[in-house]
Amino acid sequence: MYLSTFFANATPALPEIALLSMTCIVLLADLFFSRLCPRIPYYLTQLALLGVICLSLCALNKPQTSAFFGMFMADPLSSLLNVFICLTSLFSFLYARSFLEETKMPLGEYYTLGLFSVLGMMLMVSSQNFLPLFLGLELQSLPLYAMIALRRSSGIASEAAMKYFIMGSLASAMLLYGISLLYGVTHSLSISEAAIIFSQGTATHNTVFACALVFIIAGIAFKFGAAPFHAWAPDVYQGAPSIVTLFLGSAPKIAMLGFTFKFLVQAMPTLQTQWQLFFIILAVLSMALGNIVAVVQTNFKRMLAYSSISHMGYMLLGLISGTQAGYAAATFYIIAYAFMTLAGFAMIALLSKAGVEAESIKDFQGLNYKHPWLAFLVMVVMFSMAGVPPTIGFFAKLSVLQALVQVDLVWLAALALIFSVIGAYYYIAVIKTMYFDQPEKSTPFPTLPLDATIAISVNGLLLLILGLFPSGLIELCNKVFL
Amino acid sequence: MEQLISNITIAIVLFPLLGALVAGLLGKKMGCTWSHRATIFYVFISFVLSLYLAKLVFIEHIPTFNLVVYHWGISGGVGFDVGFLIDQLSVLMLLVVTFVSLLVHIYSIGYMQGDPGYQRFFSYVSFFTFAMLALVTANNFLQLFFGWEGVGVASYLLIGFWFNKDSATAGSLKAFIVNRVGDFGFLLGIAAILATYHSIDYSAVFAQVDTTLSQTITVIPQHPWSVITLISLLLFVGAMGKSAQIPLHVWLPESMEGPTPISALIHAATMVTAGIYMIARMSPLYQHSPTALSVILVIGASGALFTGLIAIVQNDIKRVIAYSTLSQLGYMVAALGASAYTAAIFHLSTHACFKALLFLGAGSVILACHHEQDMRKMGGLWKLMPITYLTYLLGSLALCALPPFSGFFSKDAIIDAVHQTTIPGAHYAYFCVLTGSFVTAFYTFRSLFMTFHQTPRYDTAHLHPHESPWVVWLPLVLLAIPSVLLGAWLVKPLLFDTPPLLAQSVVPHLMESPQTAWSLMEESIHSPAFWLVISGIFSAWLCYIAFPALPKFFVRVLSLPYFILIKKYGFDDFNRVVFVDGSKSLAQSFSHTGDQVVIDNFFVNGSGRAVVFLAKLGRKLQSGLIYHYSLLMAIGLIAFLILILWPLKG
């Protein structure tokens, strides 16, 4: 009786259940068949992600349905975010394969950990209760710590993992403390019930609620890597192997946006005026610090880390506006950002020679002479990050700024534009290095794995094609918020 | 019928453009011969079609044709169109332009032979023809302005055709910049028309003129101006630039650095008369502004006399003719000022023929003397170049306005009109144009005597001048015919018929009594102008044939006026000191303090330095130590808490 209702109830969670099952299978397959075919965890992982993408795509047009006694809810937004979480993960796992094999890192463990992290992300966007939300966040983070440290011989990676772990624990503690305070105010852990209580407007004007809000926002800001809670990002991005960085920098940010929507839009839809100010501060600090400090970086990964801090600032601008259009713009921005980051770090991973990563911007000197196609792709990525039309980055920036202007925050939009001008400097400096500087010495160019080359080409061209025909994705992002 | 005229006009205007494109883009492949064949062929078609239009307009008397052929755009309720206005005036202009252009094309085969930019030259000339035709056929101010700027560009390109020569590039720049000054006024005038009449179509504007007679506009506070006067004066500023009126005349002498056929076509026959054409076209507007007419009359008459005086002291054969052109343009403008629009157009047509003839004749001489232009190194050429000499003589007689040559009729009409008018400045203007006819005769025959008579002063050992090839002398002969006959042929229909020939196009000028060419010639014996011309020619003979020492004596006695004339009244020096040096030093100071110090150093480099400074500061935050990072987070958290709890306390 109970079992049958459970299964009848569980259909909305089908993608998550399927992913969990597949993850277990990958684990077992790695254990038993890796001698036979070392790549079997990789193939199964990609198969699992493709399956989940299909399941989520099917769920995209369904109305919102809850499961597990209101703990879980599938709606168009969560399905959309699931699709892109899995898609970006698929790309990052694809880039990772050749690097893992070359450096003899354990393939099976990497992919199993990665899949668990993806499962955590999917829970973050679909849970309808603060507790599973938090569990999802932790499920997403913990495998990441391990993945960073996976290359045991690398001291800098271990340091990065340690830093991320400690700082992450601190942030989790803040978030959890915030949730407990929230429970004290609402006497419920359910988002739906919290929303009802907040909408009555009685519980919101007291010190406890104010503290809860601040702690939760601090936790969220940490996970986004928004200033002043960003300090971990440059060290971790640089220290982690590029294949981990590109995973760490893309999919979890999409999940984090869904997580933020749960707290701010679904649980406290009426309290926009209270949290708006904090996000303005976070956004301005992130845009300023990210763009300005990136100017003097000589390490490409570190530069991209600062760039991602600034991108988080721009994404938050969409949230600040507090309108449907603003949320849609933020979603569009985070998706665009994920693909740009993927391509950016994938370049570093691809150009690595015998396990030594091409981290320095100097390593890109004269890339055009050695490999013009790759140089072109890097140029597209850089232009997209700088927000130059006709790349997707332009429309991402345009839509968040549009949302801001619509709610009369013109000064903020103008400020954002000024910072993006500063940002354009270091992106274009990379292009200049590739196209106008002579290569330093004629070292042999690494042979690129075919699958990763195709993937990076698709990824780079996607930035261009979505920039030329952005309306489909924009409409999709708008539709899920109606 | 409308369709036919429309198609013919489009063909007339566009064929030269086609020629320009063919010669310009494919010239290198087609070679010299096919380039000039193509451009001449297209201009010839334009000329034949113009003749056909002339037959329709002048013989079959079809009504004025005004049609929009293409809507270019609509903005703020005002349509911007491509359209044609075909009436007697524009057809007359079409004939003049295509005829002279065709002959100049043919002449250039000989003159430009062996030049490395041969195809480019033909391309430019054809392009000029296209722009000039677009200008004269326009039925609205936008197209007029298009043609206006188009001929300006062509003029710039052709003056600087030999761009390796410093003086040529300087001349082209000068022409371009001085014309910008005029164009600025012209554009303001068009803007004023648009603001007043809400249309840029000629017919729509003229239809409304009567409703705005008393309308005023306040440019300077407490001094309301008549709108029509303002518009007229602004448009006249444009005409001053293009038709080289004082004080914007300084570019025309410099333009002589271009090839001689260009001087004939652009800087004598067609482009410089665009301003005359434009004012005649706007005569329904100008007729209502005595103030503007007065200004035009005084400026034109001054130009007629004073630029002619400069021609007396010039030794470069082309410069003499250039100053003569300035003087003749002054006559035309004076006629406009005296409301004798028809007389101005009449003089424009005859002048186009004889001045093109003189320029091309001078070109023939220059060719024979291996590109020597200084008359002091010529002399005695009449026996060696009989055809050039004869045609040059006929052109000179026409320019001096001796009956029965064409210049006589048109210039006589102008002097007569200036004599009759009563607007302020008329007496001064009459004095100028009358004295001018003596001056004209003097400098014209001075150049004739110095070039073709006297003893040869060129290096007879190395230089053997001979008659130019037929492509050069044929246009001279073809131009000599209208130079002699055109005046007598046109004077009656243009001035004395009722209705006059251009009645539909310009405001007609009322003549006292109907006369014929013959009766005019008879009367001229009693007019002062005739005797002034005769005495001018005689004086030139005295000074340069009979007593060659006389000029040196005059230079010594009249050293001050001579100095003033050599310095061209100081216009060039004034422009150089005030405008060129002034704007240079202004630009220097802007460049130095404004651009380098304030913008470059403070804003551009300063903001860059500020960013780098901030970035280095921000870098310090990133110590790599976990407790620093945690502290930063804690500070952020506490700041947020303070921010939210502070208002709650209060």
Side-chain angles (χ1 to χ4, degrees):
Chain A
M1 171 65 198
Y2 270 125
L3 210 61
S4 63
T5 28
F6 175 83
F7 278 117
N9 226 343
T11 33
L14 201 57
E16 282 82 358
I17 293 171
L19 185 63
L20 179 61
S21 321
M22 279 304 285
T23 312
C24 297
I25 292 172
V26 171
L27 197 58
L28 292 174
D30 179 41
L31 205 58
F32 292 109
F33 299 112
S34 58
R35 291 265 172 80
L36 217 61
C37 168
R39 283 187 186 175
I40 196 140
Y42 168 67
Y43 293 132
L44 284 176
T45 301
Q46 298 297 56
L47 194 69
L49 287 174
L50 273 178
V52 174
I53 290 173
C54 291
L55 287 174
S56 302
L57 275 176
C58 294
L60 202 56
N61 287 322
K62 288 184 185 154
Q64 62 177 41
T65 40
S66 64
F68 304 117
F69 311 101
M71 289 268 193
F72 184 94
M73 188 158 82
D75 56 8
L77 172 63
S78 67
S79 301
L80 178 77
L81 293 179
N82 277 344
V83 168
F84 282 103
I85 288 169
C86 294
L87 197 62
T88 46
S89 305
L90 188 114
F91 268 104
S92 41
F93 292 163
L94 213 160
Y95 295 135
R97 186 198 53 80
S98 59
F99 190 82
L100 288 171
E101 285 173 356
E102 204 172 311
T103 54
K104 310 224 165 22
M105 278 156 77
L107 203 76
E109 284 170 39
Y110 180 87
Y111 286 119
T112 328
L113 286 170
L115 280 183
F116 274 119
S117 184
V118 173
L119 185 63
M121 296 176 209
M122 291 175 70
L123 285 178
M124 282 163 74
V125 300
S126 307
S127 297
Q128 194 65 3
N129 189 300
F130 291 130
L131 216 52
L133 268 180
F134 181 73
L135 290 177
L137 181 66
E138 288 303 295
L139 182 56
Q140 173 249 303
S141 307
L142 287 170
L144 279 178
Y145 305 144
M147 283 164 87
I148 295 170
L150 207 54
R151 201 174 171 193
R152 273 168 238 131
S153 58
S154 166
I156 186 169
S158 308
E159 185 193 331
M162 205 58 206
K163 275 182 185 165
Y164 193 29
F165 179 62
I166 294 174
M167 306 287 294
S169 312
L170 198 61
S172 295
M174 286 181 188
L175 193 66
L176 201 56
Y177 186 50
I179 291 173
S180 73
L181 289 177
L182 211 58
Y183 179 72
V185 175
T186 59
H187 306 290
S188 166
L189 282 174
S190 161
I191 287 176
S192 322
E193 282 170 37
I196 295 167
I197 291 162
F198 285 136
S199 64
Q200 289 159 357
T202 49
T204 54
H205 283 283
N206 62 45
T207 320
V208 181
F209 172 73
C211 292
L213 192 64
V214 167
F215 277 104
I216 288 171
I217 287 177
I220 290 173
F222 174 87
K223 291 292 173 187
F224 274 133
F229 303 95
H230 67 284
W232 60 275
D235 289 7
V236 172
Y237 276 47
Q238 188 189 352
S242 295
I243 49 162
V244 182
T245 312
L246 64 91
F247 180 57
L248 171 84
S250 53
K253 307 281 183 192
I254 302 179
M256 205 53 218
L257 184 68
F259 185 86
T260 313
F261 282 138
K262 289 285 175 194
F263 272 91
L264 299 180
V265 182
Q266 293 185 11
M268 358 180 154
T270 51
L271 303 177
Q272 194 234 341
T273 45
Q274 299 217 15
W275 50 258
Q276 192 188 39
L277 177 67
F278 296 117
F279 279 103
I280 290 179
I281 295 171
L282 287 172
V284 170
L285 282 178
S286 301
M287 290 187 299
L289 190 125
N291 278 325
I292 289 174
V293 180
V295 167
V296 289
Q297 301 302 326
T298 51
N299 183 298
F300 197 61
K301 283 166 86 178
R302 217 171 164 78
M303 189 202 91
L304 284 183
Y306 280 106
S307 143
S308 90
I309 293 173
S310 78
H311 280 300
M312 286 308 115
Y314 286 102
M315 189 276 302
L316 290 178
L317 295 178
L319 292 179
I320 288 165
S321 67
T323 56
Q324 307 286 347
Y327 299 144
T331 312
F332 183 65
Y333 199 101
I334 206 89
I335 291 169
Y337 159 79
F339 280 109
M340 295 190 287
T341 306
L342 268 182
F345 283 106
M347 288 296 170
I348 301 168
L350 273 180
L351 289 178
S352 62
K353 290 180 278 278
V356 181
E357 295 195 345
E359 288 193 4
S360 168
I361 294 178
K362 266 192 182 163
D363 293 329
F364 284 77
Q365 239 170 34
L367 182 62
N368 184 42
Y369 301 100
K370 297 178 189 167
H371 201 305
W373 176 240
L374 218 54
F376 171 76
L377 290 174
V378 177
M379 183 180 74
V380 170
V381 174
M382 288 298 125
F383 273 141
S384 185
M385 284 188 172
V388 176
T391 55
I392 190 173
F394 167 72
F395 287 99
K397 279 207 172 60
L398 181 73
S399 53
V400 290
L401 294 181
Q402 237 172 5
L404 274 188
V405 171
Q406 274 162 10
V407 294
D408 292 329
L409 283 170
V410 180
W411 66 272
L412 196 53
L415 205 61
L417 276 179
I418 291 173
F419 286 126
S420 87
V421 170
I422 296 175
Y425 168 77
Y426 58 86
Y427 296 124
I428 291 172
V430 173
I431 296 171
K432 180 232 159 206
T433 307
M434 290 189 309
Y435 280 89
F436 299 104
D437 291 359
Q438 293 294 330
E440 260 187 346
K441 49 188 184 292
S442 53
T443 44
F445 197 74
T447 46
L448 304 174
L450 183 67
D451 55 346
T453 314
I454 294 172
I456 190 84
S457 304
V458 171
N459 192 340
L461 291 179
L462 208 61
L463 299 178
L464 202 61
I465 291 165
L466 282 176
L468 289 169
F469 308 102
S471 52
L473 189 56
I474 290 177
E475 272 169 29
L476 202 62
C477 291
N478 274 313
K479 212 174 68 181
V480 296
F481 282 99
L482 288 177
Chain B
M1 193 69 187
E2 281 211 331
Q3 195 57 45
L4 177 72
I5 296 180
S6 167
N7 288 341
I8 288 178
T9 317
I10 292 173
I12 289 175
V13 174
L14 289 188
F15 266 122
L17 179 65
L18 191 64
L21 290 176
V22 167
L25 300 178
L26 308 175
K28 284 272 177 276
K29 282 189 188 149
M30 298 196 312
C32 296
T33 314
W34 280 101
S35 294
H36 74 234
R37 278 184 195 163
T39 48
I40 290 172
F41 174 70
Y42 287 126
V43 174
F44 180 72
I45 292 181
S46 282
F47 175 61
V48 171
L49 290 175
S50 303
L51 279 178
Y52 180 70
L53 269 191
K55 172 182 162 265
L56 291 181
V57 170
F58 292 125
I59 297 172
E60 296 178 13
H61 297 290
I62 57 160
T64 299
F65 168 81
N66 184 2
L67 190 75
V68 171
V69 294
Y70 177 68
H71 290 287
W72 186 50
I74 292 178
S75 172
V78 181
F80 299 100
D81 305 322
V82 176
F84 297 117
L85 177 64
I86 297 300
D87 58 3
Q88 294 101 332
L89 178 58
S90 48
V91 171
L92 187 64
M93 291 301 290
L94 280 182
L95 279 178
V96 170
V97 172
T98 49
F99 177 62
V100 179
S101 175
L102 178 64
L103 294 182
V104 164
H105 269 87
I106 295 170
Y107 180 90
S108 301
I109 299 173
Y111 195 85
M112 298 305 290
Q113 200 173 29
D115 194 283
Y118 192 82
Q119 293 96 325
R120 186 163 59 94
F121 180 84
F122 277 91
S123 173
Y124 286 171
V125 178
S126 278
F127 172 75
F128 167 79
T129 312
F130 154 72
M132 191 69 202
L133 293 174
L135 190 158
V136 298
T137 53
N139 78 342
N140 62 69
F141 287 93
L142 186 72
Q143 198 178 330
L144 176 75
F145 189 70
F146 167 78
W148 195 268
E149 294 299 301
V151 293
V153 168
S155 159
Y156 165 77
L157 291 172
L158 283 164
I159 296 170
F161 182 76
W162 288 312
F163 48 75
N164 289 328
K165 223 163 65 172
D166 281 344
S167 57
T169 41
S172 64
L173 271 178
K174 193 170 185 180
F176 201 77
I177 292 166
V178 173
N179 268 300
R180 298 318 301 164
V181 179
D183 292 345
F184 182 61
F186 190 56
L187 208 51
L188 282 179
I190 293 176
I193 284 173
L194 189 58
T196 312
Y197 302 106
H198 307 290
S199 173
I200 51 167
D201 199 72
Y202 291 164
S203 53
V205 171
F206 296 153
Q208 294 178 64
V209 166
D210 287 339
T211 62
T212 54
L213 289 182
S214 55
Q215 199 175 328
T216 57
I217 190 168
T218 310
V219 181
I220 309 161
Q222 280 143 20
H223 289 280
W225 283 3
S226 155
V227 168
I228 292 183
T229 299
L230 181 73
I231 292 172
S232 304
L233 285 176
L234 285 174
L235 290 180
F236 180 58
V237 171
M240 280 161 77
K242 193 106 318 190
S243 293
Q245 291 303 302
I246 293 174
L248 298 184
H249 67 284
V250 287
W251 65 270
L252 190 63
E254 309 280 322
S255 75
M256 294 302 128
E257 296 297 337
T260 308
I262 292 321
S263 310
L265 175 64
I266 301 185
H267 306 117
T270 54
M271 183 187 86
V272 288
T273 59
I276 317 292
Y277 163 79
M278 189 267 291
I279 293 178
R281 182 57 91 190
M282 302 303 136
S283 55
L285 204 64
Y286 277 88
Q287 200 46 38
H288 294 291
S289 175
T291 319
L293 287 178
S294 226
V295 171
I296 293 172
L297 179 66
V298 169
I299 287 183
S302 308
L305 176 61
F306 292 108
T307 54
L309 283 172
I310 300 178
I312 295 176
V313 300
Q314 294 295 317
N315 287 317
D316 183 321
I317 185 166
K318 281 182 74 183
R319 299 236 167 191
V320 173
I321 309 176
Y323 278 103
S324 145
T325 306
L326 283 177
S327 165
Q328 298 307 306
L329 288 169
Y331 275 99
M332 294 177 215
V333 170
L336 296 171
S339 301
Y341 308 104
T342 323
I345 294 295
F346 185 22
H347 196 53
L348 186 161
S349 314
T350 55
H351 174 257
C353 296
F354 62 70
K355 190 51 67 65
L357 169 61
L358 286 177
F359 262 122
L360 296 185
S364 175
V365 171
I366 291 168
L367 210 55
C369 297
H370 292 244
H371 289 271
E372 177 58 68
Q373 306 192 2
D374 194 331
M375 294 190 295
R376 287 170 297 189
K377 293 178 184 165
M378 298 175 183
L381 293 174
W382 69 275
K383 266 186 279 185
L384 303 168
M385 315 179 65
I387 304 175
T388 306
Y389 171 65
L390 262 179
T391 50
Y392 196 90
L393 178 65
L394 291 176
S396 299
L397 290 169
L399 172 60
C400 295
L402 265 188
F405 300 96
S406 63
F408 161 72
F409 297 99
S410 52
K411 199 187 250 180
D412 194 53
I414 290 175
I415 295 172
D416 211 31
V418 174
H419 188 45
Q420 282 173 27
T421 185
T422 53
I423 60 172
H427 291 295
Y428 163 77
Y430 182 60
F431 167 76
C432 284
V433 293
L434 212 53
T435 322
S437 46
F438 170 82
V439 176
T440 308
F442 185 81
Y443 67 67
T444 309
F445 275 84
R446 171 178 174 268
S447 81
L448 183 84
F449 292 147
M450 281 179 81
T451 309
F452 291 100
H453 295 271
Q454 299 186 331
T455 48
R457 290 176 301 276
Y458 50 85
D459 187 357
T460 40
H462 295 100
L463 197 62
H464 306 288
H466 54 84
E467 186 57 85
S468 302
W470 70 271
V471 284
V472 171
W473 63 252
L474 180 72
L476 297 180
V477 174
L478 290 178
L479 278 167
I481 298 167
S483 296
V484 176
L485 299 176
L486 190 68
W489 184 48
L490 276 183
V491 65
K492 191 167 174 295
L494 263 177
L495 297 178
F496 302 110
D497 272 358
T498 42
L501 194 60
L502 300 181
Q504 289 172 14
S505 314
V506 301
V507 176
H509 176 62
L510 296 175
M511 284 292 171
E512 281 170 339
S513 53
Q515 280 176 312
T516 59
W518 187 246
S519 68
L520 278 169
M521 281 192 274
E522 279 182 340
E523 265 181 31
S524 69
I525 306 291
H526 308 294
S527 75
F530 174 78
W531 292 107
L532 281 170
V533 171
I534 293 292
S535 57
I537 296 173
F538 183 67
S539 311
W541 179 80
L542 272 183
C543 290
Y544 293 93
I545 300 289
F547 305 103
L550 220 50
K552 288 201 181 70
F553 168 73
F554 280 125
V555 168
R556 209 164 49 242
V557 174
L558 303 171
S559 61
L560 182 66
Y562 179 75
F563 178 74
I564 293 173
L565 289 180
I566 282 289
K567 286 285 167 193
K568 301 154 195 162
Y569 309 112
F571 276 110
D572 279 334
D573 295 291
F574 177 79
N575 286 342
R576 204 186 61 242
V577 171
V578 175
F579 292 115
V580 179
D581 291 353
S583 49
K584 263 187 187 167
S585 56
L586 195 67
Q588 264 315 325
S589 65
F590 278 144
S591 152
H592 187 73
T593 55
D595 194 56
Q596 287 173 21
V597 175
V598 177
I599 295 176
D600 268 5
N601 212 20
F602 184 74
F603 284 107
V604 179
N605 293 340
S607 55
R609 275 196 293 269
V611 168
V612 171
F613 174 74
L614 285 176
K616 285 187 173 149
L617 211 64
R619 222 179 181 178
K620 296 237 167 69
L621 278 178
Q622 211 68 28
S623 59
L625 300 171
I626 281 187
Y627 50 88
H628 284 171
Y629 295 176
S630 310
L631 183 67
L632 188 67
M633 275 174 76
I635 291 172
L637 189 73
I638 291 166
F640 276 18
L641 279 173
I642 292 173
L643 202 65
I644 198 166
L645 293 179
W646 197 263
L648 289 178
K649 285 276 180 243

